[in-house]
Amino acid sequence: MRDPYIVLGVTKAADSAEIKKAFRKLAKKYHPDQSSEPKAKEKFAEVSAAYEILGDEKKRGAFDRGEIDAEGKPRFQGFEGFGAGGPQGGAWNSARRGQPGGGFEHFEYAPGGPAQGPGFDASDLFSELFSAQRRRSAQGRQAPRGEDVAAQVVVTLAEAAHGAKTRVSLPTGRTLEVSVPAGIEDGKQIRLKGQGHPSPFGGEQGDAMVTVKIAKHAYLRPDGHDLRLDLPLTLYEAVLGAKVNVPTLDGTVELNVPAGSNGGRTLRLRGKGLPNQPGGTAGDLLVTLRIMLPEEPDADLISLMRQWQTQKPYDPRRDMK
């Protein structure tokens, strides 16, 4: 295994963002399912192993301090009093080579039994000990998950209220059918398990986080569990009263407008708001009356209003004085 900094093509001063960027670029280049490069599988494995060290702050620190090698294996630091750089290092090395002067009787290591005879090489023993340690560490460590991906889907107000199935395109290139639950609110997310990026280390695949956006309705506006609607009325409907059709999420319904209704008055249609609320009750539809004059000036209406102005004046703003 080469130096992970060389494998990823970064310097030792590189920050985590630079390292991650370099890894993703190389992983994409050598991914066995996509790459036509020679020995892509081996290069992908090498890049992944390098990132496993440099992408983890603790492992990177241990590597920089010389505590682990490029494969993540612990480096032998020597026992107290017998370090490679200590005063007795020469004696220790001489003993390992089976040379006299080291102060040790020479043994041969027999697996499963006592050491015996000349020719003992301590490196075999330490290799066994370190291999066992790595196996124990691997058993208690879970491989990192793949990265999650983000996507967005737009639904109508009726689809959000009643629930629907719609299709969403993911950054991974896949297009999936998503079930939008009834009563979902604008901006809420749906998690698609295992639909994110694969893990380069053999762990679980990431998830897809789909944000639901509710398209603006032509007439209806959500207000908590209720819906609001501005209803245009003619002057004579407001004065005389009328039965008027109003839109809801389930089609049109008839609303009774009382005679003498002022503009701005709000009427309530119970149960015609957003359905599937907690407790099984639906919200209401709140209808605010907006009195509209004719689009074109009407001479008779103008004459009548002038007559009212002089003969039947009234002040609707008297309480504001």
Side-chain angles (χ1 to χ4, degrees), residues 22-32 34 44 47-48 200:
F23 163 68
R24 296 195 67 175
K25 180 179 179 182
L26 292 172
K28 184 177 181 181
K29 179 179 180 181
Y30 295 123
H31 196 288
Q34 303 173 2
F44 181 80
V47 168
S48 299

Side-chain angles (χ1 to χ4, degrees), residues 53-83:
I53 292 177
L54 299 188
D56 184 302
E57 291 186 6
K58 291 183 178 179
K59 291 183 180 179
R60 182 182 180 184
F63 176 78
D64 290 344
R65 293 189 297 270
E67 297 171 3
I68 61 174
D69 62 17
E71 295 181 359
K73 301 176 182 177
R75 295 182 187 272
F76 176 62
Q77 303 295 326
F79 294 112
E80 184 178 355
F82 299 99

Side-chain angles (χ1 to χ4, degrees), residues 288-299:
T288 301
L289 306 181
R290 305 295 183 193
I291 299 174
M292 307 293 292
L293 296 177
E295 294 182 4
E296 298 294 333
D298 183 273

